[in-house]
Amino acid sequence: GFSSSPVRRSFLSITPTESLMIEIKKGTEPKELLEYRKKEFASYADMKGDVKEKVMKSLLSEQGHLCAYCMSRIDEGDGKHRATIEHCIQQAVTDEKERLNYKNMVAVCWGNRNAHSNEDKSCDAKRGSLKVDKQDMKKINVFDGRTLTDIKYASDGTIYSDDEDVNEDLNLRLNLNCEARRLKECRRQALSALHRNIAGKYPNKTAPKSYYQKLMDHYTEQREMKEPYSGILIYWLEKHI
């Protein structure tokens, strides 16, 4: 299993069958967005708040209320858990039609976007701090699970990949090991909670693989409200099944 000690950082190597970030399955766009897009001179920048609210509700539902990148809990409210709309193909290099394309939108966390240092930002806030020609993902595509299967986790909650392009996306563009946001610690705590759950169910003995499979099914089948940081939980469970 994982060591809880940050000094003993063991790396596990498996071939995952599940995506270790959210693979987003796009549904039907909200009718309010469809109607707005038909208007003459419609633009994303001028999109009314009520339309944006409907878009956000739909995106959050598709993603189980988790950030498309770091998998932290997000919602429509204010404060540190507030969500924002991210364009996977950056607005700076697209036309208005693409900016209003629902299939190009995901919900992401606030990502510390007010931080003075770009190293303290994550997710789209970090990506947006880069020069435009550096913002495009090398490989990761949250709409294509095949690009997410090379993601791995270390014992201290570090997310990484042996694939250089994926690793560059995880760290340079998205900064998913951001110290200021304590993302590694959040993942480690999520895993510790899973271990406590298993130990409570099977005290002083090893849980059967069938129980690990039951937990795996639970996390992979969640839809409306997914477990935050469930990628590391799925990764650990898969190794033990």
Side-chain angles (χ1 to χ4, degrees):
F2 282 91
S3 164
S4 61
S5 168
V7 177
R8 292 174 56 207
R9 194 160 110 173
S10 59
F11 291 87
L12 303 179
S13 181
I14 60 172
T15 302
T17 56
E18 295 292 340
S19 299
L20 298 172
M21 278 171 58
I22 305 169
E23 181 184 8
I24 299 169
K25 308 285 190 184
K26 297 302 288 182
T28 305
E29 69 178 325
K31 68 179 188 303
E32 291 83 0
L33 177 61
L34 176 62
E35 291 166 1
Y36 176 72
R37 200 168 53 245
K38 292 176 181 176
K39 293 184 177 181
E40 191 176 9
F41 306 122
S43 74
Y44 181 78
D46 295 332
M47 192 165 72
K48 290 184 178 180
D50 59 335
V51 178
K52 192 170 285 189
E53 187 178 316
K54 292 291 185 181
V55 171
M56 181 61 80
K57 278 183 181 294
S58 183
L59 294 174
L60 289 172
S61 179
E62 287 176 350
Q63 296 170 210
H65 287 74
L66 297 188
C67 172
Y69 297 133
C70 72
M71 300 183 75
S72 64
R73 169 76 65 229
I74 52 174
D75 56 46
E76 293 173 80
D78 295 327
K80 66 179 182 178
H81 298 301
R82 62 180 158 170
T84 186
I85 296 172
E86 151 85 326
H87 290 77
C88 292
I89 303 173
Q90 297 298 296
Q91 295 189 66
V93 298
T94 56
D95 57 19
E96 208 57 69
K97 182 180 178 181
E98 190 60 33
R99 291 178 195 133
L100 289 169
N101 181 2
Y102 182 70
K103 291 183 178 179
N104 187 34
M105 300 178 190
V106 294
V108 294
C109 68
W110 194 237
N112 255 4
R113 66 189 65 238
N114 293 334
H116 294 299
S117 169
N118 289 333
E119 291 310 305
D120 292 339
K121 300 174 184 177
S122 74
C123 306
D124 80 305
K126 175 62 167 70
R127 188 181 171 203
S129 73
L130 302 172
K131 292 181 179 179
V132 173
D133 63 347
K134 299 290 185 184
Q135 291 181 13
D136 283 347
M137 297 289 190
K138 279 280 188 73
K139 189 169 184 180
I140 286 178
N141 177 356
V142 293
F143 304 125
D144 184 354
R146 293 170 298 179
T147 71
L148 308 177
T149 57
D150 290 322
I151 292 171
K152 300 179 180 181
Y153 293 92
S155 57
D156 64 349
T158 299
I159 188 171
Y160 76 105
S161 178
D162 295 330
D163 183 308
E164 289 184 11
D165 289 341
V166 175
N167 216 39
E168 189 175 307
D169 287 341
L170 293 172
N171 289 290
L172 175 66
R173 289 177 189 84
L174 300 176
N175 198 21
L176 294 188
N177 292 307
C178 180
E179 293 290 347
R181 290 197 57 214
R182 299 178 64 248
L183 290 176
K184 289 191 290 186
E185 178 63 17
C186 288
R187 293 184 202 109
R188 196 179 68 78
Q189 288 182 6
L191 188 67
S192 294
L194 174 66
H195 288 169
R196 288 194 298 273
N197 172 352
I198 295 169
K201 184 79 173 178
Y202 293 94
N204 304 316
K205 61 180 179 180
T206 302
K209 288 185 178 182
S210 60
Y211 185 63
Y212 291 140
Q213 185 64 57
K214 181 180 177 181
L215 289 171
M216 170 76 88
D217 293 343
H218 169 71
Y219 292 124
T220 57
E221 291 170 8
Q222 285 179 322
R223 291 293 176 263
E224 187 58 36
M225 292 294 282
K226 292 179 183 288
E227 187 74 21
Y229 312 109
S230 53
I232 194 170
L233 309 182
I234 293 168
Y235 187 78
W236 187 90
L237 286 165
E238 196 157 46
K239 183 180 181 294
H240 289 76
I241 289 173

